[in-house]
Amino acid sequence: MTAPTTATEQTGAPTGGHPHRWLILGVICLAQLTVLLDNTVLSVAIPSLTSELHATTTDIQWMINAYSLVQSGLLLSAGNAADRYGRKKLLAAGLALFGLGSLAAGLADSTTQLIAARAGMGVGGALLMTTTLAVVMQIFDDSERVKAIALWSTVASLGFAGGPLIGGVILNHFWWGMIFLVNIPVAVVALVAVLKLVPESKNPQGDRPDLLGALLSTIGMTAVVYAIITGPEHGWLSTEVLLPAAIGVAGLGAFALWELRTPYPMLDLHFFRNQKFVGAIGGSILVVFGMGGSLFLLTQHLQFVLGYEPLEAGLRMAPLALTIVALNLTGVGPRIVMKLGTPLTVVLGMSLVAGGLTSISLLGGGTDGSYWGMLLGLVMMGGGIAVSSPAMANAIMSSIPPEKAGVGAGINGTLAEFGNGLGVAVLGAVLNARFAALVAVTATSLPAALAAAGSDAERQEISDAFASGLQTSQLVGAIAVFAGGLLAAALLRRAERTEARTERTEARTARAAEAREAVRTGPAA
């Protein structure tokens, strides 16, 4: 006999906390951590990949971007599919795909195979990132949900920023493929736990997956980033750059038109009429833009220019992750939001991120082996991320209708992934352009250029050119983050004033209606 459908199965909203909720939270946070680590863990393996797979700089960028771009293209449609077909099913499918993709990546023997495997991992990662938060919302009741989401967010920050350290520990003892193979036991344990412990939930009336929208957005973003990556190599006005740029713009334009016409859009473009939503989204993109691009370049600088081993490089990047986790666990971000308000908090947080990038550029980006300027920059960036992220997440989720909360989370995740890929592409392109302007080399990567150098003086010249490119790229990132923070705060402030005026108008209207009613009923009393 089939059991009757419960409220939880229909909506995913529990009538009480699940008896194994904290164990389930630990399992899905571990899976989430693994997925997010793979956004940055590859950066410390760049020297190994360059020497063992003969990867060029463009190959390395695509190994990183293939993962994030596939995720960004599929997050919203994956969330819609989870609502329609079952969150437990999609979470299990995501774990399986992520594990298989990790196996293929660990055993790859060419750059093409590794890029393809990373794209496959991105599919599984998209399913995981959209369903883990949905499961948290399902298994915790109102009294514990805020605490659970705070822990989930802390793990998310640790996963993004802790990749270089985890990768350095692994590479200090194993070959580069182990940074992927280590995911497999985690995926297996999480899969068993999900199948055994996590209750199913779905909304039979949920929207259909927007597969065409996912395809168009992925094509558009991939083509645009490809043009950015290859611009310094081929020239910004070359056919090799203009053609993919045109394809990207056309793809994103077709995506926008389709989203306006389809009854089940992956991205409801009407959200972008809300200045509060636009300001928060813009700030979120630029924070990840600065952090993702900076991590990608700094790990190369620490290893190639300053000569640190992978573990040493990872340890020197750890202050960023430790600062984020420490401030998140102590609740500093939410308290600052309550004290200063969202606009001022966003300005403070993004100014710290921009200041961190500037410190790295001016004090820690040279070839003299200095680390203190870099340390100051990493701590400032971590503080800025910890302060601004809660403010912007709250602004995003409060600017859209409650029934669209899942869509809002999907939009936030999509654009954050896009911001990471764009940061790697843009700041990497700035560095490459500066490097090429300072030294004339035919090698396709920094290690190859150093290996081809004929003297110590030439190698020093190449290292100095790379360091100069790093400094320029960090300054570009700092300017973008700071200017974006001011714009985001202005939009948020304007939206708050509009909301306040609307509330005052509604209050006056209500009081006037009450007064008219009192006058009308007064004589009768």
Side-chain angles (χ1 to χ4, degrees):
M1 180 177 178
T2 303
T5 301
T6 66
T8 297
E9 290 170 333
Q10 288 291 334
T11 65
T15 56
H18 191 279
H20 301 297
R21 57 194 179 278
W22 294 109
L23 177 59
I24 295 172
L25 177 64
V27 170
I28 63 177
C29 280
L30 181 61
Q32 178 88 346
L33 178 63
T34 306
V35 171
L36 291 166
L37 282 172
D38 271 276
N39 276 304
T40 54
V41 72
L42 194 63
S43 56
V44 294
I46 291 174
S48 300
L49 294 169
T50 302
S51 61
E52 296 182 29
L53 295 183
H54 308 291
T56 65
T57 300
T58 300
D59 291 333
I60 296 296
Q61 288 177 319
W62 275 110
M63 290 173 191
I64 295 173
N65 286 329
Y67 182 72
S68 58
L69 288 177
V70 169
Q71 277 192 356
S72 64
L74 296 179
L75 276 170
L76 290 176
S77 56
N80 291 335
D83 287 339
R84 185 174 180 84
Y85 299 114
R87 300 180 183 101
K88 177 178 179 178
K89 292 186 183 70
L90 271 292
L91 179 55
L95 285 165
L97 287 173
F98 188 76
L100 291 173
S102 298
L103 177 63
L107 300 179
D109 58 8
S110 71
T111 57
T112 301
Q113 291 177 10
L114 183 52
I115 292 171
R118 290 274 292 171
M121 292 172 65
V123 177
L127 294 174
L128 283 169
M129 291 182 67
T130 53
T131 51
T132 51
L133 184 56
V135 171
V136 171
M137 298 295 292
Q138 170 198 354
I139 62 177
F140 286 92
D141 60 21
D142 293 339
S143 64
E144 296 179 322
R145 190 171 294 150
V146 173
K147 181 179 179 181
I149 293 175
L151 292 173
W152 180 89
S153 300
T154 300
V155 170
S157 297
L158 175 62
F160 190 87
L165 175 59
I166 302 299
V169 171
I170 294 173
L171 289 173
N172 198 47
H173 297 89
F174 304 98
W175 99 108
W176 64 265
M178 189 56 68
I179 64 176
F180 301 112
L181 297 181
V182 74
N183 296 335
I184 297 174
V186 176
V188 170
V189 170
L191 179 59
V192 172
V194 165
L195 294 175
K196 184 175 179 60
L197 298 175
V198 175
E200 181 61 282
S201 66
K202 61 181 178 180
N203 179 9
Q205 305 303 317
D207 295 344
R208 292 194 301 267
D210 183 12
L211 298 180
L212 180 58
L215 177 63
L216 289 173
S217 64
T218 301
I219 292 174
M221 288 189 292
T222 301
V224 168
V225 174
Y226 177 83
I228 295 171
I229 291 174
T230 57
E233 179 182 356
H234 297 292
W236 294 106
L237 299 180
S238 66
T239 303
E240 292 86 347
V241 174
L242 292 179
L243 180 59
I247 293 173
V249 172
L252 292 176
F255 167 72
L257 291 175
W258 170 254
E259 296 302 286
L260 289 172
R261 296 185 178 186
T262 181
Y264 302 105
M266 183 178 76
L267 174 59
D268 188 348
L269 297 181
H270 295 95
F271 289 153
F272 289 92
R273 296 177 179 174
N274 187 321
Q275 292 180 345
K276 186 177 181 181
F277 178 80
V278 172
I281 285 293
S284 297
I285 292 176
L286 286 169
V287 165
V288 180
F289 170 92
M291 184 170 67
S294 179
L295 288 177
F296 171 68
L297 300 177
L298 283 179
T299 50
Q300 296 183 66
H301 180 72
L302 285 167
Q303 294 177 79
F304 293 146
V305 177
L306 302 184
Y308 292 113
E309 295 296 323
L311 177 58
E312 294 174 326
L315 287 171
R316 282 163 176 78
M317 298 293 292
L320 173 64
L322 294 176
T323 303
I324 294 173
V325 172
L327 294 180
N328 278 343
L329 287 178
T330 56
V332 170
R335 286 200 295 269
I336 291 179
V337 175
M338 297 297 294
K339 186 174 181 64
L340 299 181
T342 300
L344 288 178
T345 302
V346 168
V347 170
L348 173 62
M350 297 187 71
S351 296
L352 284 172
V353 174
L357 291 168
T358 303
S359 175
I360 292 170
S361 173
L362 300 181
L363 303 177
T367 58
D368 59 357
S370 173
Y371 173 67
W372 297 109
M374 188 179 296
L375 173 62
L376 174 63
L378 292 172
V379 171
M380 290 180 66
M381 287 177 64
I385 293 164
V387 167
S388 59
S389 292
M392 290 184 291
N394 179 68
I396 291 170
M397 300 309 294
S398 63
S399 63
I400 60 177
E403 63 271 16
K404 296 288 187 179
V407 175
I411 293 171
N412 183 47
T414 297
L415 297 180
E417 288 294 329
F418 178 62
N420 179 55
L422 196 61
V424 171
V426 172
L427 298 190
V430 171
L431 184 148
N432 289 339
R434 177 64 175 166
F435 179 77
L438 293 175
V439 294
V441 295
T442 58
T444 56
S445 66
L446 176 62
L450 291 172
S455 65
D456 291 340
E458 189 175 349
R459 279 188 288 272
Q460 184 62 45
E461 181 184 7
I462 292 171
S463 296
D464 289 340
F466 184 88
S468 177
L470 172 73
Q471 292 171 324
T472 302
S473 66
Q474 301 297 321
L475 281 178
V476 169
I479 293 170
V481 170
F482 182 70
L486 294 179
L487 177 60
L491 292 173
L492 290 167
R493 174 68 72 185
R494 183 181 299 177
E496 286 186 353
R497 290 174 177 171
T498 301
E499 289 178 356
R501 285 196 298 269
T502 301
E503 290 175 358
R504 288 195 298 267
T505 300
E506 291 175 349
R508 286 196 299 268
T509 302
R511 288 195 297 268
E514 291 174 357
R516 287 194 299 270
E517 182 65 16
V519 171
R520 187 180 67 82
T521 59

